Amino acid sequence: MSQPSTAPKLTPSLCFNSTALRAKSRLKEDFLRISRSTIDDSITQNLNALITPSRDGFNPSSTSTRDIHPRGKTLVDPIKSAAFRNQVLFPSWQSRSDVLNYCAGVATSDDPDDPDLLLRQAESAKDAERIVNERLDPYSARFFPKEPRTEILASIIRNERAVEGIIRSRTWGLVGERCGDLGMGWEDALNHWRAERE
């Protein structure tokens, strides 16, 4: 059985890693990418690993005729399925949620260590003194202030949460297909697992 992903040490520098902010997959996004690839992207292989190999052995007569109507995918044993969900899938999802929630909190708080703060303040002061005459220079009204890194981080977190929702929905669909439908969506199942842990 796969091992659940463990979250890295949560610090503001993890969220503000400049290469991660530029979406080039470094520390934070590297954790998300690796966690997704080992658990969600390979969900079919993880579920197949839970199935007990054939007990009957190989029957040569099974190859003599072509089965037009395939039997479908083998359902995973409910006990093994529950163990996989509770020990691997949900803990991995929770680790990723913890990282995203922490970084969202960092994005909404003040950033006194912002290296571009003085530059933005100077640009704002210079822009206030600027005289705009669009007749003489039609491009003079254009002013693109540099975004604070907290706003950039908030945008990245919003995108990552959307990606996370899509991935979890796909994974949960495959889990339901292979383990039997549990009668609830992935959000409800994850919340139920969280409630049981408390």
Side-chain angles (χ1 to χ4, degrees), residues 15 98-109 150 153-154 157 161:
C15 301
D98 291 345
V99 169
L100 291 173
N101 290 339
Y102 178 80
C103 289
V106 169
T108 58
S109 62
T150 53
L153 177 61
I157 296 302
R161 282 186 168 160

Side-chain angles (χ1 to χ4, degrees), residues 22-177:
R22 303 290 176 243
K24 291 184 180 169
S25 282
R26 288 295 163 244
L27 199 55
K28 168 182 55 70
E29 293 177 2
D30 221 18
F31 162 72
L32 295 174
R33 183 182 54 81
I34 290 170
S35 176
R36 289 170 180 157
S37 70
T38 57
I39 303 300
D40 295 273
D41 293 350
S42 58
I43 189 66
T44 301
Q45 291 87 345
N46 287 327
L47 293 174
N48 284 343
L50 299 175
I51 297 173
T52 306
S54 175
R55 292 185 185 100
D56 300 335
F58 177 69
N59 181 359
S61 67
S62 67
T63 60
S64 63
T65 60
R66 184 171 177 184
D67 191 4
I68 298 172
H69 303 289
R71 293 184 196 112
K73 296 185 178 181
T74 309
L75 286 178
V76 177
D77 176 37
I79 294 171
K80 290 181 180 179
S81 174
F84 174 76
R85 285 191 316 268
N86 294 330
Q87 296 170 9
V88 178
L89 186 63
F90 292 150
S92 295
W93 285 0
Q94 185 62 45
S95 294
R96 295 196 309 250
S97 291
D98 291 345
V99 169
L100 291 173
N101 290 339
Y102 178 80
C103 289
V106 169
T108 58
S109 62
D110 290 335
D111 185 14
D113 299 329
D114 189 353
D116 298 327
L117 180 62
L118 294 175
L119 177 65
R120 275 195 318 280
Q121 288 173 343
E123 284 178 352
S124 295
K126 191 165 65 171
D127 185 50
E129 296 170 1
R130 219 169 76 206
I131 299 172
V132 176
N133 186 346
E134 289 187 23
R135 245 184 57 216
L136 297 176
D137 183 6
Y139 299 106
S140 64
R142 290 193 315 185
F143 174 66
F144 301 106
K146 187 173 171 127
E147 276 187 299
R149 66 183 189 161
T150 53
E151 288 180 22
I152 296 169
L153 177 61
S155 173
I156 289 173
I157 296 302
R158 276 191 302 275
N159 291 341
E160 289 296 331
R161 282 186 168 160
V163 168
E164 194 68 21
I166 293 166
I167 289 172
R168 289 179 185 185
S169 177
R170 178 191 162 275
T171 298
W172 193 248
L174 290 170
V175 167
E177 195 177 289

